[in-house]
């Protein structure tokens, strides 16, 4: 997941799409391609900093980005991650949206998170013209709200791996909306060897009476 997020940020900031287009057209556009932003000058807001979100945060910080994390509860100082510069609660979401160049959703689908960005919530992004990355769950925002945010210019683009309905219909307007990148829910594939290693480790912990990893909390919904 972290590779997907970081890869798309770098591709966007260093104009990889334009580079490919220039090569296809045999155009030497040194002046145009020399215009880019340094990652160390950019801020990313990560919605959900559980195990996956923390790894995304760590990777972004490694590249020098300023990292904000949206959480249910602000952790005690002793429990805070060195690679997360600022924590915000869901009630402070507007401040995060106003402050971040990239907004990356990794939240699970729960009654609390469904539609969290729907309506006109994304208008808080208009000052930074944030890029929205969704690798969490599609129902964080309904399609009409996302399309409105793009068309109104509240966000400058969207990198989408998850959707409200999958597969995405061939006639869906997101396919042809400018500055939108669509991938078919492949941001983080679970490879068989990874599953086997996780099962083996948890089985060993279970047999020894030790706490298992990645245990689902049925009350919280993830």
């Amino acid at each position: 997941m972290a590779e997907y997020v970081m890869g798309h940020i770098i591709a966007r900031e260093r104009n990889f799409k334009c580079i490919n287009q220039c090569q296809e057209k045999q155009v030497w556009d040194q002046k145009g391609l020399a215009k880019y932003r340094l990652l160390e000058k950019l801020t990313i807001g990560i919605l959900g900093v559980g195990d996956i979100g923390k790894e995304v945060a760590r990777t972004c910080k490694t590249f020098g980005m300023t990292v904000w994390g949206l959480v249910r509860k602000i952790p005690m100082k002793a429990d805070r991650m060195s690679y997360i510069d600022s924590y915000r609660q869901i009630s402070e979401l507007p401040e995060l949206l106003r402050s971040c160049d990239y907004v990356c959703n990794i939240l699970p689908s729960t009654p609390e998170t469904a539609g969290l960005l729907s309506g006109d919530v994304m208008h808080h992004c208009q000052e930074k013209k944030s890029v929205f990355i969704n690798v969490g769950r599609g129902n964080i925002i309904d399609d009409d709200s996302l399309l409105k945010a793009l068309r109104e210019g509240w966000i400058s683009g969207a990198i989408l791996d998850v959707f409200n309905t999958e597969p995405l219909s061939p006639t869906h307007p997101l396919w042809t909306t400018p500055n939108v990148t669509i991938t078919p829910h492949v941001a983080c594939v679970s490879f068989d060897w990874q599953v086997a290693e996780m099962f083996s480790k948890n089985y060993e912990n279970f047999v020894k009476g030790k706490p298992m990893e990645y245990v689902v909390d049925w009350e919280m919904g993830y």
Side-chain angles (χ1 to χ4, degrees), residues 62-73:
T62 299
F63 279 86
M65 298 184 75
T66 299
V67 180
W68 287 38
L70 189 76
V71 294
R72 292 168 60 96
K73 183 179 179 181

Side-chain angles (χ1 to χ4, degrees), residues 127-147:
E127 183 175 340
K128 286 267 191 173
K129 303 295 182 185
S130 314
V131 177
F132 176 54
I133 302 175
N134 195 3
V135 290
R137 289 293 180 264
N139 67 353
I140 191 76
I141 184 171
D142 65 71
D143 294 349
D144 289 340
S145 297
L146 178 55
L147 286 165

Side-chain angles (χ1 to χ4, degrees), residues 151-169:
R151 290 167 178 165
E152 294 290 334
W154 296 341
I155 58 177
S156 60
I159 298 163
L160 309 171
D161 188 58
V162 292
F163 304 88
N164 283 287
T165 301
E166 297 182 7
L168 191 65
S169 169

Side-chain angles (χ1 to χ4, degrees), residues 1-219:
M1 192 79 78
E3 292 178 5
Y4 177 95
V5 173
M6 202 68 247
H8 278 283
I9 291 175
I10 293 173
R12 182 179 179 87
E13 294 303 322
R14 295 306 299 261
N15 301 308
F16 283 5
K17 184 177 180 180
C18 292
I19 290 172
N20 289 335
Q21 292 174 340
C22 286
Q23 183 166 345
E24 290 175 358
K25 298 176 181 179
Q26 299 173 305
V27 173
W28 183 272
D29 186 17
Q30 186 179 47
K31 184 176 181 180
L33 293 174
K35 298 176 181 178
Y36 57 84
R37 302 185 296 182
L38 294 174
L39 299 187
E40 65 182 28
K41 298 297 184 181
L42 302 180
T43 299
I44 183 169
I46 300 174
L47 313 186
V49 285
D51 291 324
I52 297 174
K54 287 175 183 175
E55 183 60 20
V56 173
R58 187 191 65 79
T59 303
C60 291
K61 176 52 67 176
T62 299
F63 279 86
M65 298 184 75
T66 299
V67 180
W68 287 38
L70 189 76
V71 294
R72 292 168 60 96
K73 183 179 179 181
I74 304 294
M76 301 294 289
K77 286 187 177 181
D79 298 324
R80 297 180 186 180
M81 302 295 106
S82 61
Y83 40 80
I84 298 178
D85 299 287
S86 298
Y87 287 91
R88 293 295 185 274
Q89 293 178 287
I90 290 180
S91 61
E92 300 170 301
L93 176 62
E95 181 189 2
L96 182 148
L97 297 178
R98 287 193 297 269
S99 304
C100 295
D101 301 284
Y102 283 83
V103 176
C104 179
N105 174 54
I106 312 180
L107 288 167
S109 177
T110 68
E112 185 179 15
T113 63
L116 183 66
L117 299 179
S118 293
D120 289 345
V121 174
M122 296 293 270
H123 86 274
H124 293 291
C125 295
Q126 60 186 331
E127 183 175 340
K128 286 267 191 173
K129 303 295 182 185
S130 314
V131 177
F132 176 54
I133 302 175
N134 195 3
V135 290
R137 289 293 180 264
N139 67 353
I140 191 76
I141 184 171
D142 65 71
D143 294 349
D144 289 340
S145 297
L146 178 55
L147 286 165
K148 181 178 181 179
L150 288 160
R151 290 167 178 165
E152 294 290 334
W154 296 341
I155 58 177
S156 60
I159 298 163
L160 309 171
D161 188 58
V162 292
F163 304 88
N164 283 287
T165 301
E166 297 182 7
L168 191 65
S169 169
T171 61
H172 198 289
L174 279 172
W175 286 108
T176 54
T177 300
N179 299 315
V180 173
T181 297
I182 291 173
T183 57
H185 207 141
V186 293
C188 187
V189 176
S190 295
F191 295 100
D192 52 4
W193 59 269
Q194 292 175 315
V195 176
E197 285 183 358
M198 184 187 303
F199 177 84
S200 177
K201 186 174 183 179
N202 265 341
Y203 178 74
E204 184 177 346
N205 288 342
F206 175 76
V207 170
K208 294 181 178 179
K210 296 180 179 180
M212 292 189 291
E213 298 181 0
Y214 312 113
V215 176
V216 174
D217 186 322
W218 295 107
E219 291 187 3

